[in-house]
Amino acid sequence: MASEAGFDWHQDSPWRRLPWTLPGAVLIGLLGLWVGAGLMPGDQPSPPENLPIDAQLIELPPPPPPEEAQKPRRDHPPPKAEPEPAPEPPPVKTPASLAAPPAPTAEEWQLASTYTLKNSKRYRYNWGQQVRSMMGTAVEGEREGLVRVRVEIAPDGNLAKVEVLWSTSELVEKLALQAIRAMPPLPPTPTGKPLIFEKTIAFQSFETGWPPSYRNDCLPDPPQFRNPFGWNGTGAPTHTPPATQREERAEDCHPSDVEASWEEEESELQRQIERNRWGH
């Protein structure tokens, strides 16, 4: 009570606060009116005036008739790829072969045993044909080749000596020696003397050798050239004059027996054409 007794009520008079409270109250009232007026609905806005429309009528052409609806194209499925056939194996090559020629006949041996020209030329040819006929069929490959032999035939026709000079195949050499040693008895030599000669035997799949020609056997052999000034270095050099002329034809030679006629030459040429297929 002592504190209240010391308070001065005259200094806290409302009239002294009036200059501050009155303007504040007026301001708060105006603010409330402004807020209330904003919340109240106002007048509806008038609808906008319709503006005039400038319209023109344009006649359009009739529309085209509707196209028929095309059916969707159905593509055929691609053909299935057929499996490739297996490659064919290469054909097996059959090796070429040539049968043995026939052996000389008795008539051919009879003629050969009397033919003395050119170192018994017919006898030597028949002897080679006899050996080749006993060697069998020649097959292409390693079982073919050539062999050359030096032969000595006794006067009675028996084999006296055989020597291999060279060969291209050991098998061919073996077959040739077997055939030579197994030959049947032959007629005597034409001269009645030992016959010595060299012979090449062809054991091949494409040919057996060419038959000789007898048409020029009556002519003597041409002279062989020898160098008159040749010297082997031993002893005194010697001068050998060359042969002057070819020897004359032998008196006992009959050209009609050895010369070929036109028919024989034509048949021989035709045989060669068919054999070698000339012109094909």
Side-chain angles (χ1 to χ4, degrees):
M1 294 301 295
S3 61
E4 294 180 3
F7 180 76
D8 188 3
W9 290 98
H10 295 286
Q11 294 182 358
D12 194 26
S13 175
W15 297 100
R16 293 177 63 86
R17 296 192 298 271
L18 183 61
W20 303 100
T21 56
L22 181 60
V26 174
L27 182 60
I28 292 173
L30 292 175
L31 181 62
L33 291 175
W34 180 74
V35 172
L39 295 177
M40 293 179 64
D43 298 337
Q44 295 291 335
S46 58
E49 297 180 359
N50 295 328
L51 299 176
I53 299 176
D54 185 7
Q56 294 181 359
L57 181 60
I58 300 175
E59 185 177 358
L60 298 177
E67 297 181 359
E68 296 182 0
Q70 296 181 356
K71 296 182 180 181
R73 183 178 179 182
R74 179 179 297 177
D75 296 334
H76 295 285
K80 296 181 179 180
E82 298 181 359
E84 296 182 358
E88 297 181 359
V92 179
K93 180 182 177 181
T94 303
S97 61
L98 183 63
T105 62
E107 291 77 7
E108 292 175 339
W109 275 117
Q110 178 63 30
L111 180 61
S113 64
T114 59
Y115 195 89
T116 60
L117 299 176
K118 303 299 181 182
N119 193 24
S120 305
K121 189 175 182 178
R122 290 184 182 273
Y123 196 100
R124 292 186 287 113
Y125 174 71
N126 284 5
W127 184 90
Q129 288 296 99
Q130 183 72 40
V131 174
R132 178 61 186 89
S133 66
M134 299 173 61
M135 293 176 63
T137 302
V139 182
E140 179 185 8
E142 299 179 355
R143 296 179 55 86
E144 60 179 352
L146 303 173
V147 58
R148 186 169 181 84
V149 295
R150 178 181 286 115
V151 183
E152 180 179 350
I153 305 296
D156 59 355
N158 293 323
L159 178 66
K161 184 179 179 182
V162 59
E163 177 186 0
V164 177
L165 301 179
W166 54 263
S167 66
T168 61
S169 171
E170 294 183 358
L171 178 62
V172 175
E173 178 181 345
K174 180 180 179 181
L175 292 176
L177 292 177
Q178 289 178 353
I180 292 173
R181 294 188 175 98
M183 288 182 67
L186 302 180
T189 60
T191 60
K193 299 177 181 179
L195 178 60
I196 302 175
F197 60 94
E198 295 181 3
K199 185 68 176 179
T200 300
I201 301 173
F203 187 73
Q204 296 176 326
S205 58
F206 53 89
E207 66 101 10
T208 57
W210 292 94
S213 174
Y214 305 100
R215 59 179 304 176
N216 296 322
D217 288 355
C218 276
L219 298 178
D221 294 333
Q224 297 181 356
F225 174 77
R226 295 182 180 180
N227 187 358
F229 305 100
W231 180 45
N232 59 4
T234 61
T238 59
H239 177 69
T240 304
T244 56
Q245 296 179 353
R246 177 179 295 184
E247 298 178 0
E248 298 295 334
R249 176 182 296 181
E251 296 180 358
D252 58 346
C253 180
H254 302 281
S256 60
D257 296 338
V258 296
E259 291 183 355
S261 62
W262 288 105
E263 291 79 6
E264 291 175 348
E265 292 183 1
E266 183 180 2
S267 61
E268 176 64 17
L269 181 60
Q270 183 65 27
R271 185 189 68 83
Q272 295 180 13
I273 292 176
E274 294 178 355
R275 181 175 184 177
N276 298 300
R277 303 297 181 184
W278 295 352
H280 294 277

